[in-house]
């Protein structure tokens, strides 16, 4: 059974992977309009997934830290990714 | 520059420690075809590429390899948690334990520490990209061998993902090599380094001097 944190993180991972994989393909085929359109679609979904995750479970990047918890440096909060993440 | 994302590329969640499995999987961190060598290889080679597509592919694959080194490290960390001294001795993990306890240090399964000799930078796009194609295949074989040695589905799942990435990278480096070859003079294919020679101008000068 997945926790809510694991479920939301999995969504981030799925869309981030789709973005990375499409981006890597586009490196070698930059003129492929279908792949560019897919990248754009995934980017929207990735951003939504990141926002949803960060609202409850803290920042995924240092740059988004301040936006998630006013006045406190929550970047340091565990669990860190290697500590049995979902 | 690089920025850290506080997540793994693919989830690693291992319930049961297994120091024997850690002893072989560690080769994909610090071994001859491991992720640390892969990241160092691509991120070092990219400077002497002569075409933007290839610079992008090496940058992005090299960056992904850093994420793979983190995944392997997470697997090793989780496989070596909460061990008793009896388990450490019985599994043969004691020879690593004596130097590193359960810290993550890049070595091959044989115990040989990571070495920059595991990869090359020739400064010639065809030579370097050909090495990269072979490197992805060798890493794929290492993952196949790990899958022959490890039964736990919690461990096999991320290892299968990493194996699959080697196959995809091989395809992308295939794109990179054909892009590079398309730009070469077909009559002068291997006598010319597009990153170094200036289309014959340099050689004319040398002839005049000689």
């Amino acid at each position: 059974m997945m926790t809510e944190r694991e479920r939301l993180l999995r969504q981030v991972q799925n869309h981030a992977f789709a973005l990375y994989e499409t981006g890597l393909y586009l490196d070698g085929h930059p003129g492929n309009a279908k792949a560019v359109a897919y990248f754009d679609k995934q980017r929207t979904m990735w951003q939504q997934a990141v926002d949803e995750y960060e609202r409850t479970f803290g920042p995924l990047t240092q740059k988004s830290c301040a936006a998630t918890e006013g006045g406190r440096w929550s970047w340091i909060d565990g669990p860190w990714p290697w500590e049995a993440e979902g | 520059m690089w920025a850290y994302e506080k997540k793994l590329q693919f989830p690693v969640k291992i319930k049961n420690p297994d120091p024997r499995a850690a002893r072989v999987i560690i080769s994909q961190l610090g071994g001859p075809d491991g992720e640390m060598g892969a990241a160092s290889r691509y991120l070092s080679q990219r400077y002497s590429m002569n075409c933007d597509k290839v610079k992008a592919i090496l940058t992005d694959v090299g960056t992904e390899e850093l994420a793979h080194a983190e995944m392997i490290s997470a697997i090793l960390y989780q496989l070596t948690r909460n061990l008793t001294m009896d388990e450490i001795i019985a599994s043969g993990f004691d020879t690593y334990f004596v130097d590193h306890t359960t810290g993550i240090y890049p070595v091959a399964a044989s115990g040989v520490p990571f070495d920059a000799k595991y990869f090359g930078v020739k400064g010639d796009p065809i030579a370097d990209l050909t090495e990269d194609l072979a490197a992805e295949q060798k890493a794929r074989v290492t993952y196949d061998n790990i899958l022959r040695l490890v039964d736990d589905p919690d461990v096999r799942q991320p290892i299968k993902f990493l194996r699959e990435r080697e196959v995809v990278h091989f395809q992308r480096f295939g794109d990179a090599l054909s892009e590079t070859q398309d730009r070469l003079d077909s009559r002068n294919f291997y006598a010319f380094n597009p990153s170094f020679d200036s289309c014959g101008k340099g050689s004319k000068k040398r002839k005049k001097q000689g």
Side-chain angles (χ1 to χ4, degrees):
Chain A
M1 188 61 191
M2 266 192 196
T3 64
E4 181 64 1
R5 186 183 158 276
E6 285 170 348
R7 192 184 68 80
L8 292 177
L9 187 61
R10 191 68 59 90
Q11 283 182 8
V12 174
Q13 283 168 319
N14 288 347
H15 295 302
F17 180 74
L19 277 180
Y20 170 76
E21 181 72 325
T22 313
L24 181 58
Y25 176 81
L26 279 164
D27 288 349
H29 308 85
N32 189 320
K34 209 175 152 187
V36 172
Y38 182 76
F39 186 93
D40 282 346
K41 193 181 109 188
Q42 284 293 328
R43 186 174 49 192
T44 308
M45 293 161 87
W46 167 79
Q47 189 61 61
Q48 283 167 357
V50 166
D51 292 346
E52 202 180 345
Y53 178 92
E54 289 185 332
R55 261 199 302 276
T56 317
F57 299 105
L60 287 166
T61 62
Q62 229 188 33
K63 288 190 183 75
S64 62
C65 188
T68 57
E69 217 155 324
R72 193 183 161 272
W73 190 245
S74 55
W75 176 246
I76 60 165
D77 295 347
W80 284 83
W82 54 91
E83 295 167 336
E85 78 154 273
Chain B
M1 75 157 282
W2 275 263
Y4 186 66
E5 284 185 40
K6 210 171 173 182
K7 66 173 176 59
L8 299 179
Q9 192 189 16
F10 184 94
V12 174
K13 195 173 185 181
I14 298 167
K15 287 184 284 292
N16 302 314
D18 182 352
R20 186 203 61 87
R23 282 187 70 204
V24 297
I25 292 170
I26 202 166
S27 245
Q28 276 307 86
L29 181 63
D33 305 306
E35 302 292 356
M36 195 167 274
S40 311
R41 177 185 300 112
Y42 308 141
L43 295 176
S44 301
Q45 287 178 353
R46 64 194 177 131
Y47 301 97
S48 46
M49 291 296 154
N50 65 324
C51 137
D52 286 342
K53 285 183 188 176
V54 178
K55 289 171 202 168
I57 290 170
L58 285 167
T59 300
D60 291 346
V61 176
T63 301
E64 185 183 358
E65 307 294 12
L66 293 172
H68 293 175
E70 183 187 33
M71 275 181 66
I72 292 291
S73 302
I75 292 171
L76 298 171
Y77 168 75
Q78 293 178 25
L79 284 173
T80 55
R81 277 184 301 188
N82 307 318
L83 297 177
T84 66
M85 282 317 297
D86 284 346
E87 286 168 333
I88 286 168
I89 293 165
S91 63
F93 191 69
D94 51 352
T95 55
Y96 178 91
F97 177 87
V98 69
D99 289 325
H100 310 292
T101 329
T102 54
I104 309 294
Y105 181 70
V107 295
S110 61
V112 177
F114 176 71
D115 196 316
K117 288 170 185 165
Y118 293 152
F119 66 90
V121 178
K122 206 66 191 170
D124 175 290
I126 290 191
D128 284 340
L129 290 169
T130 307
E131 169 178 325
D132 301 346
L133 286 161
E136 294 294 333
Q137 286 301 318
K138 288 189 280 185
R140 192 265 305 159
V141 174
T142 311
Y143 283 123
D144 279 331
N145 290 340
I146 289 170
L147 290 167
R148 291 182 177 105
L149 291 163
V150 175
D151 295 327
D152 183 352
D154 288 353
V155 183
R156 291 176 65 87
Q157 240 184 329
I159 294 292
K160 282 181 183 171
F161 172 83
L162 291 167
R163 178 197 178 279
E164 192 64 30
R165 299 309 296 156
E166 308 300 341
V167 177
V168 170
H169 293 169
F170 181 76
Q171 305 297 325
R172 298 287 77 83
F173 285 135
D175 290 345
L177 182 60
S178 80
E179 175 72 22
T180 301
Q181 287 175 325
D182 285 349
R183 289 159 168 258
L184 290 181
D185 182 341
S186 59
R187 288 166 303 176
N188 191 21
F189 215 76
Y190 295 112
F192 170 80
N193 179 349
S195 293
F196 183 76
D197 298 315
S198 48
C199 303
K201 282 176 197 160
S203 54
K204 266 184 201 163
K205 206 176 177 184
R206 275 198 298 280
K207 265 180 208 160
K208 275 182 194 167
Q209 284 167 347

